[in-house]
């Protein structure tokens, strides 16, 4: 009953999803047919590419490459970036991982040099996905943590991509078999989604189910798988169907329900094949079927094993791995060169800063020297003026003393003149009196000589 319910739900969702997505694509194609400007045509083809990417790898590549070709022709940088990012999904889903990695590396360089942090974030997220597919979980972890960091630096912590960014980090820890860290980030992602009222994506429940499956908590694992199947967003990608269906198959295998396990493994293979004939989900489903048939039908077991091996060889064979390694080596070499240039640039900045500092110190020293010289000159001039003032003051004091002395002498002279004047009056009187007496004596002598003694007595 449980199996039948899930099957009916899956079929219903598939039919509804494809019909709805077809309407969107038809509408975009109509807009493309009447679009007059090349830039609009590029962006419309990118949207069509994006809508095809989880359902039809060939159409994804067709419209993505057309958009990229036109964007290069008209030198439309934004369209070039968008087309590279979108068409890389088509190459990934069709099994051309070297090309997917190459375009993603180019797109992040364009974003870093020309666009905002938002576009850089999208490119970093794309690279994280590709490295995760390649099984390089440590490198994928670097890019997914970079995504979270950019969101936090730009204060964009309430969006859907930020919330699911923690899930992407948890997925890498799951791949590294660090289950505690994986569950921590999955739960953190769920909490962030719930806080900002977003519906959780189906893969987060699948990942939580995988963690519980690895820990041996089978009932809890199955409940998470059921939540994944019942989530509305699962309708957007057959690959998500395939991955969850394959997980459910492994669950039924673990609880010894072979029929249900075979059924869900087959459904997983069907869903994976809807995208293209070569993708990692086909490998997972075919390997699961090979294991299940091993004990009951060796021919089918071998057939599915051969399918898985051939698909893996096509995706990750010697040539593909060499191409991927070459691209990775080139990227590492570029990164080392960038880091070396940054170090040289920083050293140059330090040298320039040192020279600038020395220049500033020299200017300060020169300023201080000139200022000191000016102060000494001003001080000397002040001392000279002070000396002149002091000399003038001394002269003034001397003059003042001389004036005072002169005034004193003048006063003494006036006093002496007054005294002399006062003395002169009695002297004049005495002189006058002497003259009178002299005259009287002369008269007496004359009268005596005349013998007029009576006159002398009267005198």
């Amino acid at each position: 009953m449980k199996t039948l319910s899930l099957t009916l739900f899956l079929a219903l969702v598939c039919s509804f999803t494809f019909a709805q997505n077809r309407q969107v694509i038809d509408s975009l194609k109509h807009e493309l047919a009447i679009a007059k400007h090349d830039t609009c045509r590029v962006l419309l083809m990118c949207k069509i590419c994006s809508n095809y990417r989880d359902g039809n790898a060939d159409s994804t590549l067709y419209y993505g490459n057309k958009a990229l070709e036109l964007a290069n022709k008209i030198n439309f940088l934004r369209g070039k970036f968008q087309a590279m990012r979108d068409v890389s999904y088509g190459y990934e889903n069709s099994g051309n991982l070297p090309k997917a990695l190459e375009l993603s590396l180019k797109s992040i360089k364009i974003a870093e040099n020309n666009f905002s942090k938002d576009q850089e974030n999208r490119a970093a997220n794309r690279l994280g996905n590709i490295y995760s597919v390649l099984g390089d979980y440590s490198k994928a972890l670097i890019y997914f943590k970079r995504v979270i960091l950019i969101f936090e630096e730009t204060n964009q912590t309430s969006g859907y991509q930020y919330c699911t960014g923690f899930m992407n980090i948890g997925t890498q820890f799951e791949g590294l078999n660090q289950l505690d860290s994986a569950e921590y980030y999955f739960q953190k992602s769920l909490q962030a989604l719930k806080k900002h009222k977003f519906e959780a994506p189906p893969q987060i429940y699948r990942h939580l189910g995988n963690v519980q499956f690895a820990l041996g908590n089978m009932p809890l694992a199955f409940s998470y798988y059921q939540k994944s199947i019942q989530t509305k967003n699962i309708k957007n990608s057959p690959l998500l169907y395939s991955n969850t269906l394959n997980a459910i198959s492994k669950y039924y295998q673990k609880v010894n329900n072979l029929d249900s396990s075979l059924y869900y493994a087959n459904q997983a293979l069907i869903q994976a094949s809807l995208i293209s004939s070569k993708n990692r989900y086909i490998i997972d489903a075919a390997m699961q079927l090979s294991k299940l048939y091993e004990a009951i039908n060796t021919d089918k077991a071998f057939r599915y094993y051969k399918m898985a091996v051939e698909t893996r060889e096509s995706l990750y064979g010697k040539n593909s791995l060499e191409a991927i390694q070459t691209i990775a080596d080139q990227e590492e070499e570029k990164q080392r060169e960038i880091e070396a240039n940054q170090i040289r640039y920083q050293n140059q900045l330090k040298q320039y800063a040192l020279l600038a500092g020395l220049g500033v110190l020299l200017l300060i020293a020169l300023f201080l020297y000139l200022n000191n010289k000016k102060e000494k000159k001003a001080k000397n001039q002040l001392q000279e003026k002070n000396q002149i003032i002091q000399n003038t003051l001394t002269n003034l004091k001397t003059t003042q003393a001389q004036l005072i002395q002169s005034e004193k002498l003048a006063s003494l002279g006036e006093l002496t003149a007054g005294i002399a004047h006062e003395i002169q009056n009695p002297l004049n009187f005495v002189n006058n009196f002497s003259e009178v007496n002299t005259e009287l004596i002369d008269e007496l002598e004359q009268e005596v000589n005349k013998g007029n003694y009576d006159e002398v007595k009267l005198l």
Side-chain angles (χ1 to χ4, degrees):
M1 184 66 183
K2 188 182 297 183
T3 301
L4 179 61
S5 298
L6 285 172
T7 303
L8 291 174
F9 178 80
L10 180 62
L12 180 63
V13 169
C14 283
S15 60
F16 177 77
T17 302
F18 293 147
Q20 189 179 44
N21 200 42
R22 171 56 60 185
Q23 291 177 353
V24 174
I25 292 173
D26 288 344
S27 176
L28 289 170
K29 286 182 177 179
H30 175 71
E31 290 184 43
L32 178 62
I34 62 176
K36 296 180 180 179
H37 300 290
D38 286 340
T39 54
C40 292
R41 292 178 60 80
V42 170
L43 295 176
L44 284 168
M45 284 189 287
C46 286
K47 287 184 179 180
I48 296 172
C49 170
S50 180
N51 276 275
Y52 269 127
R53 77 185 187 194
D54 290 331
N56 189 320
D58 292 338
S59 295
T60 302
L61 290 172
Y62 175 79
Y63 283 100
N65 281 317
K66 281 286 186 182
L68 184 56
E69 181 182 352
L70 182 55
N72 283 325
K73 182 179 178 181
I74 63 175
N75 196 27
F76 181 29
L77 203 59
R78 178 187 163 198
K80 188 187 299 187
F81 165 78
Q82 187 68 39
M84 283 181 177
R85 197 175 66 87
D86 287 338
V87 81
S88 71
Y89 283 100
Y91 282 117
E92 177 190 339
N93 292 335
S94 64
N96 194 341
L97 292 176
K99 192 65 176 179
L101 179 60
E102 178 187 348
L103 287 174
S104 296
L105 288 169
K106 287 181 179 178
S107 69
I108 198 169
K109 293 303 177 188
I110 293 175
E112 288 173 345
N113 296 328
N114 300 281
F115 296 130
S116 64
K117 286 288 185 179
D118 181 59
Q119 299 298 339
E120 181 184 338
N121 216 355
R122 293 172 184 268
N125 192 69
R126 180 86 273 269
L127 266 174
N129 285 325
I130 292 177
Y131 279 118
S132 183
V133 171
L134 291 170
D136 194 344
Y137 303 116
S138 297
K139 189 166 287 187
L141 196 58
I142 293 171
Y143 282 102
F144 285 131
K145 285 185 175 180
R146 179 176 172 182
V147 169
I148 293 295
L149 183 62
I150 292 174
F151 276 128
E152 291 175 349
E153 285 178 349
T154 55
N155 295 318
Q156 299 181 49
T157 56
S158 59
Y160 180 80
Q161 296 299 326
Y162 174 75
C163 298
T164 55
F166 295 111
M167 177 190 68
N168 292 332
I169 293 174
T171 303
Q172 309 322 304
F173 281 118
E174 181 187 343
L176 294 168
N177 201 35
Q178 298 179 25
L179 300 181
D180 290 341
S181 296
E183 185 173 18
Y184 168 79
Y185 280 102
F186 292 145
Q187 293 295 347
K188 187 172 184 178
S189 182
L190 275 178
Q191 291 170 7
L193 289 163
K194 183 178 180 181
K195 177 182 178 182
H196 297 291
K197 298 181 181 179
F198 292 116
E199 183 176 355
Q203 59 267 43
I204 195 169
Y205 292 118
R206 185 187 73 244
H207 287 303
L208 282 167
N210 291 342
V211 170
Q212 296 305 318
F213 185 93
L215 294 172
N217 301 325
M218 304 311 293
L220 186 55
F222 186 73
S223 69
Y224 279 126
Y225 293 147
Q226 283 184 311
K227 285 184 178 180
S228 178
I229 285 292
Q230 293 166 0
T231 303
K232 286 191 299 183
N233 286 339
I234 202 169
K235 66 186 180 180
N236 294 329
S237 173
L239 298 181
L240 295 180
Y241 292 150
S242 177
N243 221 351
T244 301
L245 290 169
N246 204 46
I248 293 174
S249 174
K250 291 177 181 178
Y251 162 78
Y252 278 120
Q253 180 186 15
K254 187 72 174 179
V255 297
N256 297 317
N257 188 335
L258 183 59
D259 290 340
S260 295
S261 184
L262 281 168
Y263 173 79
Y264 281 102
N266 273 299
Q267 290 297 315
L269 183 60
I270 291 170
Q271 292 299 318
S273 300
L274 292 176
I275 299 298
S276 69
S277 60
K278 297 183 294 183
N279 62 67
R280 59 194 173 101
Y281 301 96
I282 289 177
I283 299 172
D284 294 339
M287 284 301 294
Q288 174 66 4
L289 284 166
S290 177
K291 290 177 183 178
L292 292 172
Y293 278 115
E294 189 174 354
I296 59 175
N297 190 327
T298 55
D299 289 341
K300 285 188 176 181
F302 177 74
R303 186 180 66 183
Y304 285 119
Y305 179 77
K306 184 179 179 182
M307 179 189 295
V309 170
E310 288 177 350
T311 306
R312 181 184 289 112
E313 184 67 24
S314 176
L315 288 172
Y316 310 112
K318 183 179 179 181
N319 293 335
S320 294
L321 291 176
E322 286 178 354
I324 291 169
Q325 189 60 47
T326 299
I327 293 170
D329 290 343
Q330 290 174 348
E331 176 61 20
E332 288 179 2
E333 181 63 29
K334 288 180 182 178
Q335 198 62 37
R336 284 194 293 269
E337 186 176 347
I338 290 170
E339 290 174 357
N341 289 334
Q342 287 178 342
I343 291 172
R344 284 195 293 270
Y345 177 69
Q346 289 173 355
N347 289 336
Q348 286 180 347
L349 286 180
K350 289 178 181 177
Q351 290 176 354
Y352 292 151
L354 180 60
L355 291 174
L358 289 173
V360 171
L361 288 175
L362 288 173
L363 286 174
I364 293 172
L366 179 61
F367 174 78
L368 291 174
Y369 170 75
L370 293 175
N371 190 54
N372 186 47
K373 188 176 180 181
K374 187 177 180 181
E375 286 182 355
K376 284 183 177 179
K377 184 177 179 181
K379 187 176 180 180
N380 291 333
Q381 290 176 346
L382 183 61
Q383 287 178 346
E384 289 176 1
K385 289 180 180 179
N386 286 339
Q387 187 63 43
I388 292 171
I389 292 170
Q390 187 65 36
N391 293 338
T392 302
L393 183 60
T394 302
N395 292 334
L396 286 173
K397 287 182 178 180
T398 302
T399 303
Q400 185 181 23
Q402 290 175 350
L403 288 172
I404 291 171
Q405 187 67 26
S406 297
E407 288 180 0
K408 287 181 178 180
L409 291 173
S411 298
L412 181 59
E414 289 178 1
L415 178 62
T416 304
I419 293 171
H421 178 70
E422 293 299 329
I423 295 173
Q424 187 66 33
N425 289 335
L427 286 175
N428 288 335
F429 176 75
V430 172
N431 289 331
N432 292 335
F433 184 72
S434 296
E435 290 177 359
V436 172
N437 287 335
T438 300
E439 290 178 357
L440 287 174
I441 291 171
D442 288 338
E443 288 180 1
L444 286 174
E445 286 180 351
Q446 289 176 4
E447 289 302 328
V448 171
N449 292 328
K450 288 178 178 181
N452 295 327
Y453 293 106
D454 294 331
E455 287 292 335
V456 170
K457 290 180 181 179
L458 287 172
L459 292 170

